[in-house]
Amino acid sequence: MKNFPLILFGFLIVLFSACKEDKEKVEEAPTESFRNEVAATEVNVATAERKSFDYLIQAPGKLEAGSEVLAVIEQAGYLLEVNVREGQFVKKGDVIAKLDPTEPEFRLEKAKISLRNANAVYESDKLGFETLFASDKTEQKGVVDEQLKAKSGVFLAEVELREAQMSFDRSVVKAPISGQVADLKYKAGSLVGSNEVLCQVLGTSQFILKVKVLESDISFISINQKAEVYPISNTQTALEGRVTGINPKVDESGLVQVSITLAANKALLPGMNARAIIRAPQNNSLVVPKDALVYRSGRAVVFTIENKESKWNYVEVGKDNGEEVEILDGIEENSTVITTNNLQLAHQAPVQIIKK
């Protein structure tokens, strides 16, 4: 029994060594074996292509009528008639209102009488120069004729008649352009002053959408460039327009006003909100689907596939058109990029491509 402690001590050493070897075997299990035990993530893929890329410049704005002209009451008086209502279509020259014409009629009749009287005096004075007017002295006859008309008051009476006729004509308000009546201010029976605005006539054969574009995007826009317009009344159907004006000034917010003209449409009204999309083609851009782009810690990442594993790539992003994204740096052309199940994907994770 003297050797029992020695035997027990030897047994414990052997047991401790065996446990240590088993622990080392567990810790030294190859990473590859562990990775093989993880189920591969199923993903859809696309190819990073170098091609023409439509950069979309989007901006909201308000529609305006192609032309907006005020119908002005040019002289004071009572409105006897107002022949239009708001929203009514009128043609240029249509009578839309009438003032009481009594006073301008009196002035017109008086001017006509004055001219007749002046002509009578002129004809009477002309009798004193019968011999001259019967002769061939054309130049001398012209000088004397002008003197007689001036002396008799014919010239002044003719001017006064034209003034009276203009005053009478102003008692009738006519549509300055063809279009729709808006902002009608007076009714029949109203007493109005001179140069009062009766209404506005909106020429709606064309509409203009004015939008504000970032100054950094203005270099991509040019006159006559196509644009898609989506009115708020129908956000699914695009109306075709063209850029017809670019303000050569940048406002305090760093924006530039762009005018887009589009044809008349029954669904459009002046003042309506709309959204414009201007397409600016970019040539020879490296492009991936927008779904391939994810953000980690505020940085853009695109996952590619190498040896059936995901590869994490930080990328520099360019322009975005809502469907595709321009990649300036970070991946190579023709790389296979992952477009699904990439939000929580890790670097060097096993992946399986879903065959379409």
Side-chain angles (χ1 to χ4, degrees), residues 65-76:
S67 54
E68 301 178 358
V69 182
L70 299 177
V72 178
I73 303 167
E74 297 185 64
Q75 64 185 25

Side-chain angles (χ1 to χ4, degrees), residues 6-172:
L6 294 174
I7 295 171
L8 180 61
F9 180 72
F11 176 75
L12 289 175
I13 290 175
V14 171
L15 181 63
F16 177 76
S17 298
C19 291
K20 185 176 180 181
E21 288 177 3
D22 290 342
K23 183 179 179 182
E24 287 177 350
K25 287 180 182 179
V26 172
E27 289 181 349
E28 291 176 2
T31 306
E32 189 67 31
S33 300
F34 176 77
R35 193 174 289 142
N36 291 335
E37 294 176 3
V38 177
T41 302
E42 293 185 337
V43 295
N44 291 112
V45 296
T47 303
E49 298 179 86
R50 191 168 293 281
K51 62 179 184 177
S52 178
F53 168 74
D54 276 348
Y55 174 44
L56 304 185
I57 302 169
Q58 304 192 45
K62 282 187 177 293
L63 286 165
E64 298 179 2
S67 54
E68 301 178 358
V69 182
L70 299 177
V72 178
I73 303 167
E74 297 185 64
Q75 64 185 25
Y78 283 98
L79 279 172
L80 289 183
E81 299 176 14
V82 176
N83 303 320
V84 293
R85 64 184 184 279
E86 287 191 339
Q88 180 177 335
F89 283 91
V90 294
K91 293 182 180 179
K92 182 179 180 180
D94 284 353
V95 175
I96 58 178
K98 289 183 179 180
L99 290 164
D100 182 357
T102 304
E103 187 176 340
E105 278 180 345
F106 277 129
R107 287 199 297 268
L108 181 59
E109 189 61 32
K110 184 178 178 180
K112 289 178 180 179
I113 293 171
S114 296
L115 180 57
R116 285 200 299 269
N117 291 339
N119 278 323
V121 173
Y122 162 70
E123 292 296 337
S124 177
D125 291 344
K126 193 177 179 181
L127 293 174
F129 298 88
E130 286 187 33
T131 305
L132 175 63
F133 284 102
S135 68
D136 295 332
K137 299 177 180 179
T138 305
E139 186 175 347
Q140 190 174 354
K141 282 192 297 184
V143 172
V144 172
D145 187 65
E146 187 171 337
Q147 289 175 347
L148 291 176
K149 284 183 177 179
K151 182 180 177 181
S152 62
V154 170
F155 289 145
L156 180 59
E158 287 176 342
V159 172
E160 288 176 344
L161 178 60
R162 287 200 296 270
E163 287 181 345
Q165 185 65 55
M166 288 175 61
S167 178
F168 178 78
D169 292 342
R170 286 171 180 164
S171 65
V172 175

Side-chain angles (χ1 to χ4, degrees), residues 253-293:
S253 301
L255 301 172
V256 178
Q257 182 173 281
V258 175
S259 298
I260 299 168
T261 300
L262 55 157
N265 188 293
K266 292 182 179 179
L268 302 182
L269 293 173
M272 184 178 283
N273 293 297
R275 177 173 58 92
I277 297 178
I278 303 171
R279 293 184 179 272
Q282 307 294 301
N283 294 323
N284 200 31
S285 298
L286 184 61
V287 175
V288 299
K290 191 171 182 179
D291 290 338
L293 186 69

Side-chain angles (χ1 to χ4, degrees), residues 133-284:
F133 284 102
S135 68
D136 295 332
K137 299 177 180 179
T138 305
E139 186 175 347
Q140 190 174 354
K141 282 192 297 184
V143 172
V144 172
D145 187 65
E146 187 171 337
Q147 289 175 347
L148 291 176
K149 284 183 177 179
K151 182 180 177 181
S152 62
V154 170
F155 289 145
L156 180 59
E158 287 176 342
V159 172
E160 288 176 344
L161 178 60
R162 287 200 296 270
E163 287 181 345
Q165 185 65 55
M166 288 175 61
S167 178
F168 178 78
D169 292 342
R170 286 171 180 164
S171 65
V172 175
V173 183
K174 296 181 179 181
I177 60 171
S178 298
Q180 278 184 286
V181 175
D183 297 334
L184 186 62
K185 297 183 183 299
Y186 295 103
K187 299 178 181 178
S190 301
L191 176 63
V192 296
S194 61
N195 298 318
E196 292 285 342
V197 175
L198 173 65
C199 63
Q200 191 175 36
V201 181
L202 306 176
T204 53
S205 59
Q206 286 185 328
F207 281 88
I208 297 175
L209 177 65
K210 292 187 176 179
V211 298
K212 298 279 190 175
V213 173
L214 290 170
E215 59 180 307
S216 57
D217 288 339
I218 202 64
S219 61
F220 301 116
I221 301 176
S222 59
I223 296 296
N224 210 38
Q225 190 169 349
K226 285 185 179 181
E228 298 165 15
V229 176
Y230 295 85
I232 197 168
S233 60
N234 187 353
T235 57
Q236 302 302 316
T237 305
L239 302 177
E240 184 177 324
R242 289 189 179 273
V243 176
T244 53
I246 301 173
N247 195 324
K249 197 168 59 173
V250 180
D251 67 15
E252 62 278 2
S253 301
L255 301 172
V256 178
Q257 182 173 281
V258 175
S259 298
I260 299 168
T261 300
L262 55 157
N265 188 293
K266 292 182 179 179
L268 302 182
L269 293 173
M272 184 178 283
N273 293 297
R275 177 173 58 92
I277 297 178
I278 303 171
R279 293 184 179 272
Q282 307 294 301
N283 294 323
N284 200 31

